Amino acid sequence: MPISWEQVVVDADDPHRLARWWAEALGYVIVHEAPDEVEIRRSPGELPGLLFGASPDPKTVKNRLHIDLRPDDQEAEVERLVDMGARPADIGQGDVPWVVLADPEGNEFCVLAARKPAAKGQ
C-alpha cells in the first residue's frame, strides 16, 4: 500500500502569524488558509507541507519534534532569522556545531552548519 508524507502539524497560538513567519523563513507559499489553520509548502503541488493549527494550550516544554535547517552560510542565516524574530534557545545542547533558535511562539529549531563537500570517489 503506497503512502505519502502529507504534512507536519504545528500547534499555534496564532496560526496565521506563525505560518507567515515560517513561509518567509523557508521561502514557502501559503496553499490553504482557514480561520483556524494555515498550510504552507515549498510550492502548491509539493509535499510535505507545514500546517499551523490553532491550539488553546500554551507551549510549556521542549519540542519532541523539530525542524533542522541547513543553509549555505550558518552565521548569515542565524542573523537573518533573528532579525525576523527568532531568538536563541538553550535546550541543554552544550557546545555543538549547530545553533538552536526558537520561532516567535517558542518552537525550537536548529540551524546546522553548511554541508561539507563529499570527498572524491564517495
Side-chain angles (χ1 to χ4, degrees):
M1 169 188 335
I3 190 167
S4 62
W5 176 11
E6 181 75 18
Q7 60 204 6
V8 172
V9 178
V10 180
D11 289 345
D13 181 51
D14 184 341
H16 295 271
R17 179 178 66 107
L18 195 57
R20 282 179 173 70
W21 189 89
W22 276 101
E24 182 179 348
L26 297 171
Y28 280 29
V29 296
I30 293 173
V31 297
H32 167 76
E33 195 161 7
D36 62 347
E37 67 182 25
V38 179
E39 183 178 5
I40 65 172
R41 296 182 188 172
R42 182 179 305 274
S43 65
E46 188 174 350
L47 295 175
L50 288 171
L51 178 75
F52 297 86
S55 173
D57 301 321
K59 181 181 179 309
T60 57
V61 297
K62 175 184 170 284
N63 294 6
R64 298 284 303 261
L65 176 73
H66 70 268
I67 295 173
D68 285 349
L69 305 176
R70 188 177 300 275
D72 290 334
D73 184 334
Q74 181 188 45
E75 185 176 336
E77 187 63 14
V78 167
E79 183 177 336
R80 181 183 78 88
L81 292 165
V82 168
D83 287 347
M84 289 176 51
R87 62 185 184 279
D90 184 353
I91 56 170
Q93 67 269 22
D95 185 24
V96 293
W98 57 85
V99 177
V100 180
L101 297 176
D103 71 17
E105 289 199 8
N107 300 299
E108 300 91 4
F109 63 97
C110 297
V111 182
L112 308 176
R115 190 174 305 279
K116 294 181 179 171
K120 288 189 175 193
Q122 289 187 358

